[in-house]
Amino acid sequence: MEDKMLTIYKASRSIKKKDNSLYNALRSIYEDSIFVGEISQLWPDLPLLANLRCGLWYSPNFESTCYFKSTDGHCNNWSFNTSRLNLHVAHLAGQKGGCIIVDSTRRGKRFPDSMSKTIPIWTCVLNRSILNYFNKMRENGPTMEMVSIDNESNTSTCDDADTRHVSLDWDCSLHLPLWVSKTEKATIEDHLEEWTKQLEASGADIASLASSLRKPLRPLWISPKTVIWLNEVPECDSWDFTPIILVSASTSSDIFQQRTTSEFSWHYISGAGDDEESWARGLSPNLFWNHAYDLINSGPDLCNQKVADIVEKDRVYRAQRGQSAPQITIKPHKLMGRNGHISDEEPSFYSQILNCKNDIKSFREHCAIFWLGSTNLAVGTTQPAANVSNVDCILNCDSELVSVCVPNAETYLHLPILVLVSGQNSKLDRFSLLNNLPTALNFAKLNLIQGKMLLVCCHNGEDISICVCLAILTSLFDDEGSFDDGKWFNKTCITKWELRRRLVFICKFAINARPSRGNVKQVFSFLNRDQIDLVF
């Protein structure tokens, strides 16, 4: 009897793994991308953004990315995270009249919590901060700053500009979808004032936001179940708000969905782009869309081998050009079966620098190097490091060595900082950033004191390099954003809030920044040692 039950268990597991095969995931993503394309064509002038990481799989035509976490919208865990302000999204929406954000979620929900609550909270807090800014300007009278803001809008008349600054017309309500209960909405509203104060104290450039947005932000929700009358699609200019259109790409039905083509059948997976490490086998969204038709037409039996060939050819191509190209490894138990299976106070910080204008080009996804205002610091990925012409020195924090042309050894430092790998527990990896920060700061000071342009890079330009720049900016720059050789730092006790304000500054420019909480904590621990041993 026990053997029979074990056999039934194995059979059910085998069926589940077959349903969650690599081909089924890619085919599901491809089918969902058709819906995303249809929605984007309803408002072709609005930029299409992917909410990392899942949303990045659902279109080859994204103009930029953003990072709104679902955990910030979980019930009883609501938050407004100043480490992920996504201000470039608000600027882009202001310049284009709105934007479309794409994401997806697993079966059972129409929208992820990032869209149901995280983004609505974000739009409300930004609107409230802008309103407070308008009120201050109104109390202070028509200052030069106000005049300059009004003059920047070439499409608005004087009456429009006046209306734009009338506080009573600026909508600061919390707009949530109907399926969020009134009790939960009321609880979230109790936190809005607190979150607004946090944003205003973080050093974020509210004045720049106010100059970009002619109308308040407001989310709208669209899923495959949404009914849209194509002959009644409104123009964005007709709305009295700046739309943030939230598109959930996947069908949320709990019904088993077995689909059939003329050649083979396949199983639909809702939110298939989620948790890519567990199923993609080294395939990236970019690689997928470069070979999408070939992969989809290959069928379930040949898909795994085609993906393996594509990933390996891309790795060899990058390796031959001196780019980061680690060998892709897959655990044996992930490969059961031939189809491949997935497992289940007013801040003064950088007050002058923050007034600089954002260039729309900096929002493009392909931008891998970001200059941090006028600090002579840049952050980015290792891949284009060898081709950057206006960099005098490079601090490479990636595990891979990059071939670069530098005048001498003092202008290039390869400082591999290890990161924790999911499922592993290594004390060496856990404190790698903390242990390497003294060397990184020594190198940075040696070059910045000479007025050189320094690039800090890592594999993805999102975490380690961001944290190293955070340590450099806090240790070697004063509260006005000027290099002072650590004089301000030696007289100041760095608080978590002070560190967060500097992180907000970095994220203003490095829009792909996604530092992990653990690495930011290592930077904070390092900066708060009784005495930092820097040997220059």
Side-chain angles (χ1 to χ4, degrees):
M1 183 67 178
E2 184 178 351
D3 292 340
K4 185 177 181 180
M5 292 297 294
L6 187 60
T7 302
I8 293 175
Y9 172 76
K10 287 184 176 180
S12 64
R13 290 282 294 174
S14 177
I15 293 172
K16 184 177 180 179
K17 289 178 179 179
K18 185 177 181 180
D19 290 341
N20 292 334
S21 69
L22 176 60
Y23 179 81
N24 286 339
L26 296 179
R27 184 61 185 260
S28 301
I29 289 171
Y30 180 79
E31 294 294 320
D32 290 341
S33 72
I34 297 174
F35 170 71
V36 173
E38 292 173 348
I39 298 301
S40 66
Q41 287 304 307
L42 296 179
W43 297 280
D45 295 332
L46 297 187
L48 191 66
L49 281 68
N51 191 31
L52 298 173
R53 294 176 301 162
C54 179
L56 196 57
W57 286 90
Y58 290 94
S59 176
N61 302 315
F62 287 116
E63 182 164 336
S64 185
T65 62
C66 54
Y67 189 42
F68 295 97
K69 292 192 69 174
S70 287
T71 51
D72 293 335
H74 286 176
C75 189
N76 297 321
N77 191 50
W78 315 284
S79 65
F80 179 84
N81 199 310
T82 54
S83 299
R84 295 184 290 271
L85 286 179
N86 292 290
L87 296 185
H88 68 286
V89 178
H91 282 289
L92 192 56
Q95 294 170 11
K96 298 291 188 175
C99 68
I100 303 173
I101 300 178
V102 178
D103 203 350
S104 184
T105 188
R106 292 292 185 178
R107 186 170 57 187
K109 287 185 176 182
R110 288 181 61 188
F111 292 86
D113 285 339
S114 60
M115 290 184 164
S116 296
K117 285 167 281 188
T118 304
I119 295 180
I121 289 172
W122 173 80
T123 58
C124 182
V125 172
L126 262 59
N127 286 336
R128 290 167 63 95
S129 295
I130 293 173
L131 175 61
N132 291 342
Y133 172 80
F134 286 163
N135 287 336
K136 290 179 182 178
M137 294 298 100
R138 195 177 183 184
E139 292 171 0
N140 295 334
T143 62
M144 289 302 294
E145 185 175 13
M146 284 281 288
V147 173
S148 65
I149 290 175
D150 289 335
N151 289 340
E152 283 177 5
S153 178
N154 295 326
T155 61
S156 299
T157 64
C158 294
D159 292 337
D160 292 332
D162 292 337
T163 302
R164 181 178 161 198
H165 295 285
V166 175
S167 302
L168 296 178
D169 293 340
W170 195 264
D171 182 16
C172 290
S173 303
L174 176 64
H175 296 279
L176 293 173
L178 296 177
W179 55 86
V180 177
S181 68
K182 294 181 179 179
T183 301
E184 186 173 1
K185 180 179 180 180
T187 308
I188 294 175
E189 287 175 330
D190 291 340
H191 294 281
L192 291 176
E193 184 63 26
E194 170 194 350
W195 293 332
T196 303
K197 290 180 179 178
Q198 288 180 4
L199 173 60
E200 293 171 348
S202 69
D205 191 2
I206 307 301
S208 180
L209 282 178
S211 69
S212 296
L213 290 167
R214 297 191 299 115
K215 303 174 184 177
L217 299 167
R218 181 170 176 175
L220 301 173
W221 296 268
I222 296 179
S223 76
K225 289 187 176 181
T226 303
V227 177
I228 301 176
W229 300 99
L230 297 181
N231 60 335
E232 296 181 6
V233 175
E235 296 290 339
C236 293
D237 291 341
S238 67
W239 289 324
D240 58 357
F241 54 85
T242 302
I244 305 295
I245 301 175
L246 308 178
V247 178
S248 183
S250 298
T251 301
S252 59
S253 175
D254 291 327
I255 301 175
F256 179 80
Q257 298 193 36
Q258 189 72 24
R259 304 186 181 184
T260 304
T261 67
S262 59
E263 299 179 357
F264 43 77
S265 63
W266 57 282
H267 177 71
Y268 176 78
I269 304 173
S270 179
D274 195 18
D275 192 23
E276 61 193 46
E277 290 86 358
S278 66
W279 61 268
R281 304 184 66 198
L283 190 70
S284 66
N286 186 52
L287 278 178
F288 168 62
W289 285 109
N290 286 340
H291 304 86
Y293 299 109
D294 188 25
L295 289 172
I296 297 305
N297 293 329
S298 67
D301 294 337
L302 300 178
C303 181
N304 278 20
Q305 186 57 52
K306 281 188 173 293
V307 168
D309 293 342
I310 290 170
V311 171
E312 180 60 18
K313 287 180 180 178
D314 179 68
R315 188 191 70 82
V316 172
Y317 175 85
R318 288 184 286 112
Q320 290 174 343
R321 286 154 181 79
Q323 300 171 2
S324 176
Q327 182 72 47
I328 301 297
T329 58
I330 305 174
K331 295 181 180 180
H333 69 274
K334 298 289 185 183
L335 300 178
M336 298 177 63
R338 59 181 179 176
N339 287 335
H341 312 118
I342 53 177
S343 35
D344 295 310
E345 175 161 305
E346 289 291 333
S348 60
F349 179 65
Y350 296 159
S351 56
Q352 296 180 354
I353 298 176
L354 287 174
N355 289 327
C356 70
K357 302 300 178 184
N358 284 292
D359 187 347
I360 189 67
K361 294 180 180 179
S362 67
F363 299 131
R364 301 291 183 177
E365 181 187 353
H366 64 261
C367 292
I369 302 296
F370 302 94
W371 288 97
L372 307 184
S374 57
T375 61
N376 283 7
L377 270 176
V379 62
T381 63
T382 52
Q383 184 169 335
N387 301 319
V388 180
S389 59
N390 55 342
V391 167
D392 301 316
C393 48
I394 297 176
L395 172 56
N396 177 18
C397 302
D398 195 358
S399 58
E400 301 291 329
L401 187 64
V402 179
S403 299
V404 294
C405 296
V406 292
N408 52 65
E410 292 183 351
T411 58
Y412 179 77
L413 174 63
H414 180 216
L415 189 67
I417 298 178
L418 304 176
V419 294
L420 277 173
V421 179
S422 177
Q424 297 182 2
N425 184 13
S426 170
K427 292 183 178 180
L428 175 63
D429 291 351
R430 184 179 300 167
F431 300 108
S432 181
L433 174 62
L434 181 66
N435 295 332
N436 281 284
L437 279 178
T439 305
L441 289 180
N442 280 329
F443 179 79
K445 180 175 181 179
L446 176 66
N447 288 280
L448 290 173
I449 204 171
Q450 301 177 50
K452 294 181 178 179
M453 312 291 280
L454 170 64
L455 168 63
V456 181
C457 58
C458 66
H459 173 64
N460 55 22
E462 298 174 357
D463 189 359
I464 295 298
S465 56
I466 298 294
C467 290
V468 172
C469 280
L470 180 60
I472 293 172
L473 285 172
T474 307
S475 301
L476 301 177
F477 289 75
D478 63 19
D479 195 41
E480 297 298 327
S482 300
F483 179 79
D484 70 347
D485 199 11
K487 295 182 179 65
W488 179 87
F489 173 73
N490 292 329
K491 300 176 183 179
T492 307
C493 178
I494 301 299
T495 64
K496 290 183 178 179
W497 187 248
E498 189 65 37
L499 194 69
R500 184 176 298 177
R501 292 201 288 132
R502 280 158 172 74
L503 183 55
V504 167
F505 168 76
I506 294 175
C507 294
K508 172 184 171 66
F509 300 98
I511 62 175
N512 293 338
R514 293 192 293 156
S516 66
R517 182 180 180 184
N519 285 334
V520 174
K521 289 177 69 175
Q522 288 189 56
V523 174
F524 181 73
S525 298
F526 171 77
L527 297 174
N528 280 276
R529 289 176 174 176
D530 292 337
Q531 183 178 2
I532 299 178
D533 184 17
L534 297 178
V535 181
F536 300 109

